[in-house]
Amino acid sequence: MVKRRDQLHEERYRYVLLPMRDLHARLDYCNQLVQSTILKYQNPVTGLIAQKGRHAWVRDNVYAILSVWGLGLAYRKFADTDEQRAKCYELEQRVVKLMRGVLMCMMRQIDKVEKFKKTQSVDDALHAKYKAENGGIAAGDKEWGHLQIDATSLFVLALAQMTASGLKIIFTLDEVDFIQNLVFYIGSAYRIRDYGIWERGDKTNHGFPELNASSIGIAKAALEAISSLDLFGSHGGPASVIHVLPDQIKQCEVVLHSMLPRESSSKEIGAAILSVISFPAFAIADDELVRRTRNEIITKLQGRYGCRRFLRDGYMTVREDHSRLHYEPAELKAFENIECEWPLFFAYLIIDGVFREDLAQVDDYNRLLADVLVYDDNGNKLIPELYYVEGDKVELEYQNPHSQVRVPGSHIPHIWGQSLYILSCLLCEELITPGELDPLNRRHAALPNSELVVQVALLAEDDSVREELKNEGIEADTPSSLMHIEVFPARMLALAYQHLGRNSKLGLSGRPPQDTGLIATSLFYRILDSVVAFTPQFLDYKQFYLCLDNELLVDDIETDIGTLQAHWRLMGRPTITLPITAAMLSVDTGSDRPWITKLITKMQLGYINGVRVRLGKLSDFLSTSCIKSLDFLETHFSDSRQSAPHKNPSKFFQILASLSPDSEIDASLDTFVPPKVPGSGAVTPERNLSIPTIIRQSPSGEKIHRLTDVVVAGLQKRHRTWSLLAKATPSLPQDSDTDVNDLLLKLQNEISFHELAVTLNSLLDKRGSTFVVDLPNRHAATVEDLIDDLYKQVCDFKMWSLVRHTAGMLNKRVENLAESVTDIIVHQKLLTVGYPPAIREETITGPLHPDKLKKIISTACGHDVRASVITQEILVYLAMFIRTEPKLFKEMLRIRVGLIMEVMATEVANALECSGDEASEYFVNMSPFEMKHLLHQILSGREFEATEVGEEPSVLSLSRKQSIRNKSISILPLDQRISLYPDSKYTNSFKEASKRKMSDIPNRLLSTNSNDSDSHNGSDKPGQWMRRRRIDGALNRVPENFYQYVWRVLEKCHGISIGGYIIPHYPIIQEMTPNELKFAICVETALNRIPHPEFRQLIVEALMVLGKVVELEPIQTLGGIIDMNFVVHQANELFLQDQTRIDEIDYPVQELKGAEDICCDFYDSAPAGRFGTITYLSKVIVRRLDCANTTECAIC
């Protein structure tokens, strides 16, 4: 019979289990509690624990055995008799038996581990539960949500901690290989959508997996804990050490930080995150983020009896329909305020307080937990699984949350919670210490080192490059001059790691073929008596044209240095081995020195963007760098067949060549020399260019002048039409009516690169890539070969428009396209490609295969091959920014690449004051660095204006196109980011701008003469707010807390209409909570129906004002459906009436109409101020609310 504590009338708990004087007696009591509440359920054959039913959950088993392990540690410390030492031994062996039982269950599903590494499919996941009596399958692949990354990660984490404490759990090298493959299994947790800790996925329990912060956090902790750990303990060697690539840990960390305190897209907060920010994971080093997340959990989820798992959790409530597993979306509202409360989270918080030495927290939660403990007939203290509200008290609980007495559920004890309770008692009684429970010291998380020194070693391609560098005062090694250190490309490191964990007996293939990452290539590696270094990963990308831009290369190096400073957690300093080739030393047009030498000169000064840098030779850095071992290759090498020695004398290469098929070892890897890239000037020796005479025009004659940061001179146009969608990246014209013979005849004549591209494009469309062109006195070649030859030539001249066009015709793909898209998506961003609305946008919702991604992009961009290529470029740049500067994407939920490309082209047109066609030409001719730079400035909120480059051009003697080419874009940084948030504090200058009357800006608004704008300067610049609204609208940027305000509005009306699309009150309010990501997606879906970004932003402002009014005024209901388009149009009418009345003139309003017939001046008004948009929106809303209160009508 189970009794409540208050029924026994015992005094309140005070850190003691029983009033016993003897420490050994307290240990024995703990042992009796463990035996009677946990170990009594352990199967004597398999070692698995199962309560009542026959199923053993991996997660529950690991948590259950933690208390047994902790008690064993206590006995190990205090045992002084043979009997106590025997108890210690038995407890430890119980732990070993369970952990090995779980291991055996997993090893029976090796085929799933092998498949999942490649597919990451829910059908290939390891099972989350097994039969306790024999370790067999408890539920089929499709009968349960088995994909639970946190459960597998928790096992790996516990294995690491227990092994570090001295337990011997892993017996053979085969088992070591399996654990190594488990590391690969969880290594991509940052992008794997699973069913999470509660096995339900989306909270409606319809079987939709989600990206869960709790899963990512436990996986990150497991990877960190198991890294470099010898699973044989003191009896091990190199073969029993587990290897983890640090870049996988970094990726988990970045994504986890971007999600917290949110648990998933359907759960705005989850109590399970307590296990991430504290014991057992300790996955977050940022104390402020930990504090904020903990407070969020306590504020939103804590009750008198424990914490709710998440908001609107229907599990085991009296309102739950037990006849089905899933919930209908509309019924989730019924669970609000009556969610079951779980006492186990009080145990988490007690343990957290002990680890943080917060005695007040420990005391508070010990008292709370003492009141919810129950007792069995033997007086053992038990933790129930949960407490629920009885049916007759539900309505009272709705009205006054946390007011009603709850009763415990039938599952007593809850083994997971019981184990944590016993651990908390052992810690509070100081029978064990935090250090014993955390032998790997995870509680002392490593923080970024602001004083970190990044070491850079220069390696010249050959002696001639070395001499050229020496003439610049730069010292560098060459591959032949290196002593005792070998240098290889990063792809060789990836190839080496593919042999890690490979086991033919078990059918394990080792690490999947993936890039190793920046941090991995910034280490030295030791194998036998050799030391090996690797060049950075991005230098391996040689197929796409981005590698041809030396300025972009330099920018990538600077970014990598900053990334190392932010994410380096290893011992020693990072070392970048930077190869310098002859191509890098070429001088680009508009530059006086090679970009790489400019960078090295900055490095010589000791700092790059605030990061300390030290230049030197590789041999100088050995004593200060981090050195890892590749000794696992020796084991495989000794077992492999001894092939004939390779001509490369490198021991590393000899071993790798003996282990890998010939197809995996390229001949170019015999030496360090980086591979030739398209456009490097090299021509394939087997086939000379088949094109006859071509007019090789000077690059300066074809290439637009570079983007540069120079003094601001010009002013942007004010009301440029937003219609560059179809012109942003136009395809070259097609000779659709030209006969094939005429096209072939053109190829025999002298033609420009541009004409050649048009001709080959026509041949490609008419005859396909395999069509053979056989010209007189020329080698026969296919159309694809001719395009490839043209691609190489335009790459040589860096004619970026033609480079992009020919790359599109060759269907080229960025090597790291899939990784870039994944990086964007896992940061909780929605991603669309393509141009709306003329060409349908395609939405990318999850990680995809690179070829599939390329197909989606091509489909979305239609026949515009340059748009397809530039889309890939933009995706790569966006991924770079979201990794290094995530704040740029704050309050941006959906990233629409097509609109971003449009706003980039429009900014060029505004800055150069030119037509759409001319801006398009400039845009597609930008170098990759210029395009990346332009994108960054738009994201960060900078002004763009035009200035002359070089000598002042004579407009009279130059054509319009030439005049445009002599202009470049200058970037003017703003002193402050301006938000459209009603609570924002605007500077006085912007307030003055908002007070501008129409009479202050007469004919300039109607004139296209750009010279008029020269007389206007300062913050009152025309077009400023129009531009800002267009940019924010294109970027889908919203004010802080915007979606929460919309939720408050929707809660008090029947729906919100935006552009004819209605966001309904039912069932959204019943299903979702204000901070839920799913709700934000619903709002974005409606806003994205608006084709004009400036009008979209006015709708956003109107919703913010309405939300603020609802927050401040005691409004019970807003009535029916609120038409936001009507609100904005009414505000526009009030604005025009005021302007006309003040000026006492009839202003030609029709000539000032912009998108959606809204006055351009209204678009260009600041939000705040007398004539601000918020002023007029507020007037409309207040008037309508007064109308609603008196006549019961809503804003409509």
Side-chain angles (χ1 to χ4, degrees):
M1 177 181 178
V2 175
K3 302 177 182 178
R4 284 287 305 278
R5 181 182 179 87
D6 53 5
Q7 294 174 315
L8 298 176
H9 303 288
E10 294 186 2
E11 64 182 54
R12 189 174 296 275
Y13 181 82
R14 293 176 308 201
Y15 301 124
V16 294
L17 295 169
L18 283 175
M20 298 179 180
R21 304 174 184 176
D22 186 46
L23 179 143
H24 291 149
R26 296 204 302 273
L27 278 177
D28 290 341
Y29 173 77
C30 289
N31 183 49
Q32 183 270 329
L33 187 61
V34 166
Q35 295 288 343
S36 60
T37 61
I38 293 178
L39 291 181
K40 67 178 289 187
Y41 301 109
Q42 186 174 29
N43 186 282
V45 177
T46 63
L48 301 178
I49 292 177
Q51 258 182 304
K52 297 181 181 179
R54 301 161 54 195
H55 296 171
W57 274 260
V58 173
R59 182 186 306 101
D60 293 49
N61 270 250
V62 175
Y63 269 116
I65 212 64
L66 288 180
S67 62
V68 183
W69 173 50
L71 183 58
L73 292 172
Y75 267 109
R76 183 192 296 178
K77 181 167 58 174
F78 293 113
D80 55 9
T81 66
D82 289 342
E83 181 182 2
Q84 291 167 349
R85 282 188 283 269
K87 289 179 181 179
C88 173
Y89 179 79
E90 186 200 4
L91 289 171
E92 291 181 344
Q93 293 311 303
R94 290 271 200 165
V95 175
V96 172
K97 189 171 184 65
L98 181 138
M99 294 296 288
R100 288 193 59 78
V102 175
L103 176 64
M104 293 304 106
C105 291
M106 292 181 174
M107 291 189 70
R108 292 178 181 177
Q109 296 190 327
I110 282 180
D111 59 323
K112 290 186 172 295
V113 175
E114 185 63 21
K115 290 179 182 177
F116 188 83
K117 290 188 302 181
K118 302 178 178 68
T119 66
Q120 294 173 357
S121 167
V122 294
D123 295 333
D124 298 327
L126 283 171
H127 284 193
K129 61 179 182 178
Y130 302 92
K131 290 182 179 179
E133 64 271 18
N134 57 18
I137 294 175
D141 294 343
K142 299 182 183 297
E143 296 173 4
W144 198 259
H146 287 297
L147 180 51
Q148 299 170 30
I149 292 296
D150 73 291
T152 307
S153 300
L154 182 65
F155 171 78
V156 175
L157 174 60
L159 173 66
Q161 293 279 28
M162 292 171 181
T163 301
S165 73
L167 296 185
K168 303 296 187 294
I169 299 173
I170 303 301
F171 294 169
T172 68
L173 288 178
D174 290 330
E175 293 174 3
V176 172
D177 286 338
F178 178 78
I179 297 299
Q180 182 66 67
N181 279 268
L182 278 189
V183 169
F184 302 147
Y185 181 96
I186 65 175
S188 298
Y190 69 95
R191 64 178 186 179
I192 298 175
R193 299 176 180 179
D194 68 344
Y195 292 103
I197 194 170
W198 307 121
E199 306 182 308
R200 294 193 164 201
D202 183 279
K203 67 181 179 183
T204 60
N205 202 24
H206 277 265
F208 304 133
E210 297 181 300
L211 201 64
N212 291 283
S214 55
S215 295
I216 298 173
I218 299 293
K220 173 183 178 288
L223 294 172
E224 289 176 327
I226 202 77
S227 179
S228 301
L229 183 70
D230 193 326
L231 293 182
F232 288 174
S234 59
H235 304 289
S240 55
V241 174
I242 297 298
H243 298 262
V244 179
L245 287 175
D247 294 88
Q248 291 183 316
I249 298 173
K250 182 205 76 173
Q251 289 168 322
C252 289
E253 178 184 37
V254 170
V255 175
L256 183 60
H257 278 244
S258 72
M259 293 183 67
L260 291 179
R262 179 187 291 123
E263 162 69 344
S264 67
S265 61
S266 70
K267 306 178 188 74
E268 66 174 71
I269 189 68
I273 299 177
L274 285 173
S275 65
V276 172
I277 63 175
S278 185
F279 179 84
F282 302 103
I284 303 297
D286 186 343
D287 290 337
E288 174 57 27
L289 180 58
V290 170
R291 183 198 61 79
R292 182 159 51 91
T293 303
R294 184 192 304 109
N295 291 344
E296 190 88 354
I297 293 171
I298 292 173
T299 302
K300 293 184 176 181
L301 299 179
Q302 182 176 311
R304 292 164 52 194
Y305 299 86
C307 293
R308 293 169 283 181
R309 302 189 302 178
F310 49 86
L311 298 177
R312 297 187 178 180
D313 175 20
Y315 177 70
M316 293 302 292
T317 62
V318 295
R319 292 294 174 89
E320 182 183 39
D321 185 350
H322 299 288
S323 64
R324 50 184 166 85
L325 290 176
H326 69 277
Y327 304 123
E328 297 300 331
E331 72 176 310
L332 293 181
K333 177 74 172 177
F335 306 136
E336 192 169 52
N337 295 328
I338 65 166
E339 302 97 330
C340 294
E341 295 178 358
W342 295 58
L344 75 93
F345 294 112
F346 285 164
Y348 271 116
L349 289 164
I350 294 171
I351 297 173
D352 174 61
V354 173
F355 272 89
R356 293 191 301 111
E357 299 181 354
D358 187 341
L359 298 182
Q361 177 175 312
V362 173
D363 181 67
D364 290 341
Y365 286 102
N366 265 316
R367 294 175 185 275
L368 289 171
L369 185 58
D371 287 336
V372 298
L373 293 175
V374 298
Y375 288 75
D376 63 11
D377 293 335
N378 298 320
N380 293 317
K381 299 176 182 180
L382 309 177
I383 281 193
E385 177 187 36
L386 50 81
Y387 278 84
Y388 67 93
V389 179
E390 295 179 289
D392 58 342
K393 300 177 181 178
V394 167
E395 293 301 328
L396 295 174
E397 185 73 4
Y398 281 150
Q399 298 171 12
N400 188 9
H402 309 299
S403 63
Q404 302 303 302
V405 176
R406 297 179 178 228
V407 296
S410 59
H411 190 185
I412 303 175
H414 181 233
I415 288 191
W416 173 359
Q418 185 73 17
S419 179
L420 291 177
Y421 164 66
I422 295 173
L423 272 183
S424 70
C425 293
L426 293 171
L427 286 167
C428 290
E429 284 290 305
E430 297 184 356
L431 297 175
I432 58 174
T433 64
E436 291 171 314
L437 207 56
D438 179 29
L440 292 172
N441 293 318
R442 291 206 44 74
R443 64 196 183 281
H444 302 308
L447 294 170
N449 181 10
S450 59
E451 298 299 319
L452 180 73
V453 177
V454 178
Q455 301 172 155
V456 180
L458 304 179
L459 197 61
E461 180 180 19
D462 51 36
D463 290 335
S464 62
V465 172
R466 183 180 185 178
E467 286 300 317
E468 191 170 349
L469 289 173
K470 191 173 182 179
N471 294 335
E472 295 280 347
I474 300 170
E475 295 293 331
D477 282 319
T478 61
S480 59
S481 66
L482 291 175
M483 299 295 292
H484 310 299
I485 300 177
E486 301 165 1
V487 179
F488 290 94
R491 59 186 177 276
M492 291 293 282
L493 179 60
L495 185 59
Y497 268 111
Q498 289 181 33
H499 299 281
L500 182 61
R502 186 171 291 183
N503 189 304
S504 58
K505 290 190 295 183
L506 295 178
L508 294 171
S509 61
R511 184 177 183 270
Q514 299 170 348
D515 290 344
T516 53
L518 170 65
I519 300 177
T521 58
S522 300
L523 311 173
F524 284 107
Y525 293 86
R526 190 181 301 279
I527 180 169
L528 297 176
D529 55 350
S530 300
V531 176
V532 184
F534 296 92
T535 57
Q537 186 74 61
F538 69 88
L539 293 177
D540 273 2
Y541 300 146
K542 59 185 184 300
Q543 297 300 320
F544 208 65
Y545 57 80
L546 297 183
C547 61
L548 302 176
D549 188 351
N550 287 333
E551 193 173 6
L552 181 65
L553 176 70
V554 166
D555 188 67
D556 288 343
I557 295 170
E558 292 183 347
T559 299
D560 283 354
I561 291 174
T563 300
L564 286 173
Q565 193 274 334
H567 297 285
W568 185 265
R569 302 290 188 273
L570 303 175
M571 298 295 293
R573 296 173 176 175
T575 302
I576 296 178
T577 304
L578 184 59
I580 308 296
T581 64
M584 293 181 185
L585 295 177
S586 61
V587 180
D588 291 345
T589 303
S591 177
D592 56 340
R593 297 172 64 199
W595 292 108
I596 193 66
T597 59
K598 291 182 179 181
L599 174 66
I600 296 173
T601 302
K602 291 170 63 178
M603 290 180 179
Q604 290 174 330
L605 299 176
Y607 285 90
I608 292 291
N609 298 331
V611 181
R612 293 180 62 191
V613 177
R614 180 189 172 195
L615 276 176
K617 297 184 178 181
L618 284 172
S619 57
D620 298 335
F621 295 147
L622 278 176
S623 60
T624 56
S625 298
C626 181
I627 303 179
K628 292 276 187 177
S629 172
L630 290 178
D631 289 341
F632 64 87
L633 288 176
E634 299 177 39
T635 305
H636 295 283
F637 180 60
S638 61
D639 296 336
S640 65
R641 57 180 176 83
Q642 298 296 320
S643 57
H646 200 277
K647 61 182 179 180
N648 191 312
S650 163
K651 293 181 180 179
F652 170 74
F653 192 90
Q654 294 283 353
I655 293 176
L656 206 56
S658 69
L659 298 176
S660 304
D662 293 340
S663 59
E664 295 183 4
I665 300 291
D666 189 271
S668 65
L669 300 180
D670 285 7
T671 61
F672 160 71
V673 179
K676 290 286 185 180
V677 299
S680 63
V683 179
T684 308
E686 294 83 2
R687 177 175 53 84
N688 293 323
L689 290 177
S690 302
I691 304 298
T693 306
I694 298 177
I695 302 175
R696 298 198 175 197
Q697 301 186 15
S698 169
S700 61
E702 287 281 340
K703 183 175 181 292
I704 303 300
H705 281 61
R706 63 177 299 277
L707 186 69
T708 182
D709 296 323
V710 291
V711 180
V712 176
L715 292 173
Q716 34 176 181
K717 285 188 176 180
R718 182 172 185 193
H719 301 310
R720 184 165 305 285
T721 304
W722 189 266
S723 59
L724 291 178
L725 282 173
K727 299 179 180 180
T729 52
S731 294
L732 293 175
Q734 306 293 313
D735 293 338
S736 55
D737 299 327
T738 305
D739 188 78
V740 173
N741 291 331
D742 293 337
L743 297 175
L744 295 177
L745 184 61
K746 281 187 176 183
L747 295 180
Q748 299 181 50
N749 301 322
E750 293 186 355
I751 56 177
S752 68
F753 283 137
H754 184 278
E755 293 173 312
L756 181 59
V758 173
T759 304
L760 291 177
N761 201 358
S762 298
L763 278 176
L764 181 66
D765 289 341
K766 291 176 179 294
R767 291 293 185 267
S769 60
T770 59
F771 178 71
V772 177
V773 177
D774 191 3
L775 300 176
N777 302 320
R778 301 292 176 182
H779 296 291
T782 64
V783 171
E784 183 177 8
D785 290 336
L786 297 179
I787 296 174
D788 187 55
D789 287 338
L790 176 60
Y791 174 69
K792 292 175 180 177
Q793 292 192 63
V794 294
C795 281
D796 281 337
F797 288 117
K798 297 183 180 179
M799 300 162 63
W800 297 113
S801 175
L802 291 178
V803 167
R804 292 182 172 103
H805 186 69
T806 51
M809 288 193 289
L810 292 171
N811 205 30
K812 286 187 174 291
R813 171 177 56 80
V814 183
E815 288 91 334
N816 58 338
L817 177 63
E819 292 81 1
S820 298
V821 169
T822 298
D823 283 337
I824 296 171
I825 291 174
V826 298
H827 279 79
Q828 304 289 284
K829 305 298 179 186
L830 306 174
L831 183 64
T832 61
V833 294
Y835 287 136
I839 302 177
R840 186 172 61 88
E841 284 183 298
E842 294 281 350
T843 301
I844 302 172
T845 58
L848 297 172
H849 188 276
D851 292 336
K852 189 172 183 180
L853 273 175
K854 178 64 172 63
K855 184 177 180 181
I856 289 175
I857 293 172
S858 298
T859 301
C861 295
H863 299 292
D864 194 343
V865 293
R866 282 193 295 189
S868 174
V869 171
I870 293 178
T871 296
Q872 295 184 61
E873 267 192 72
I874 298 298
L875 287 172
V876 171
Y877 304 149
L878 287 171
M880 290 179 182
F881 296 145
I882 208 168
R883 286 192 296 262
T884 57
E885 300 180 72
K887 290 183 179 179
L888 291 177
F889 299 85
K890 187 178 181 182
E891 308 304 336
M892 287 172 56
L893 178 59
R894 184 187 297 268
I895 297 175
R896 304 172 74 183
V897 178
L899 276 181
I900 290 176
M901 291 165 58
E902 179 187 81
V903 78
M904 291 172 69
T906 303
E907 286 296 293
V908 170
N910 285 335
L912 298 179
E913 299 182 343
C914 61
S915 67
D917 289 334
E918 292 168 329
S920 298
E921 179 187 3
Y922 191 106
F923 180 65
V924 298
N925 270 289
M926 283 181 168
S927 71
F929 172 78
E930 292 168 352
M931 194 163 288
K932 177 185 176 183
H933 193 52
L934 175 61
L935 175 61
H936 183 271
Q937 305 312 318
I938 288 175
L939 290 172
S940 57
R942 303 294 182 96
E943 297 281 0
F944 297 87
E945 297 184 344
T947 184
E948 300 295 337
V949 176
E951 297 182 359
E952 192 75 22
S954 173
V955 179
L956 297 176
S957 61
L958 295 178
S959 67
R960 171 67 174 170
K961 181 179 295 187
Q962 289 173 318
S963 179
I964 292 297
R965 286 179 177 176
N966 279 277
K967 288 187 177 182
S968 184
I969 293 178
S970 176
I971 298 168
L972 172 65
L974 294 179
D975 295 331
Q976 175 181 351
R977 276 291 303 162
I978 306 302
S979 170
L980 299 182
Y981 185 40
D983 290 342
S984 296
K985 295 181 180 179
Y986 300 94
T987 59
N988 291 331
S989 60
F990 288 126
K991 288 184 177 180
E992 291 300 320
S994 68
K995 296 178 182 178
R996 185 179 63 252
K997 297 187 297 181
M998 278 193 169
S999 58
D1000 297 333
I1001 44 173
N1003 295 330
R1004 182 183 297 121
L1005 302 181
L1006 306 178
S1007 173
T1008 58
N1009 185 358
S1010 61
N1011 293 329
D1012 293 340
S1013 63
D1014 293 339
S1015 62
H1016 192 87
N1017 50 35
S1019 60
D1020 195 21
K1021 184 168 55 181
Q1024 176 175 285
W1025 285 100
M1026 167 80 84
R1027 171 187 177 271
R1028 187 167 299 284
R1029 286 190 171 94
R1030 284 176 172 172
I1031 291 177
D1032 284 344
L1035 296 177
N1036 283 30
R1037 185 174 279 146
V1038 298
E1040 189 176 359
N1041 298 323
F1042 168 72
Y1043 302 109
Q1044 291 88 328
Y1045 279 107
V1046 176
W1047 196 91
R1048 291 171 185 168
V1049 173
L1050 189 60
E1051 189 181 28
K1052 295 182 180 294
C1053 66
H1054 293 170
I1056 299 174
S1057 175
I1058 299 175
Y1061 180 88
I1062 296 177
I1063 307 174
H1065 172 97
Y1066 182 91
I1068 288 180
I1069 294 298
Q1070 284 69 29
E1071 176 188 358
M1072 304 173 191
T1073 54
N1075 294 286
E1076 194 171 313
L1077 185 60
K1078 284 177 62 178
F1079 175 71
I1081 293 173
C1082 289
V1083 177
E1084 280 296 323
T1085 301
L1087 290 173
N1088 289 340
R1089 302 291 182 113
I1090 302 173
H1092 305 288
E1094 61 267 42
F1095 187 72
R1096 178 191 193 275
Q1097 287 310 101
L1098 285 183
I1099 294 290
V1100 168
E1101 291 179 50
L1103 285 168
M1104 284 295 296
V1105 173
L1106 184 55
K1108 201 68 177 177
V1109 171
V1110 170
E1111 179 187 41
L1112 299 176
E1113 298 294 330
I1115 301 172
Q1116 296 299 321
T1117 178
L1118 296 176
I1121 295 177
I1122 302 176
D1123 188 343
M1124 299 310 301
N1125 287 51
F1126 179 81
V1127 172
V1128 173
H1129 278 90
Q1130 287 293 299
N1132 179 64
E1133 290 298 324
L1134 292 178
F1135 173 80
L1136 292 176
Q1137 291 172 15
D1138 277 1
Q1139 295 294 327
T1140 303
R1141 185 178 66 255
I1142 292 173
D1143 291 340
E1144 297 181 353
I1145 59 172
D1146 293 328
Y1147 205 81
V1149 176
Q1150 298 298 324
E1151 298 184 42
L1152 282 177
K1153 282 187 177 180
E1156 301 289 338
D1157 292 331
I1158 300 296
C1159 177
C1160 290
D1161 270 301
F1162 193 56
Y1163 281 128
D1164 199 29
S1165 297
R1170 178 183 174 188
F1171 296 101
T1173 54
I1174 290 177
T1175 300
Y1176 292 100
L1177 291 170
S1178 301
K1179 289 180 180 179
V1180 173
I1181 289 171
V1182 170
R1183 290 179 185 178
R1184 289 294 175 176
L1185 289 179
D1186 289 340
C1187 174
N1189 292 335
T1190 57
T1191 64
E1192 298 183 356
C1193 68
I1195 303 172
C1196 57

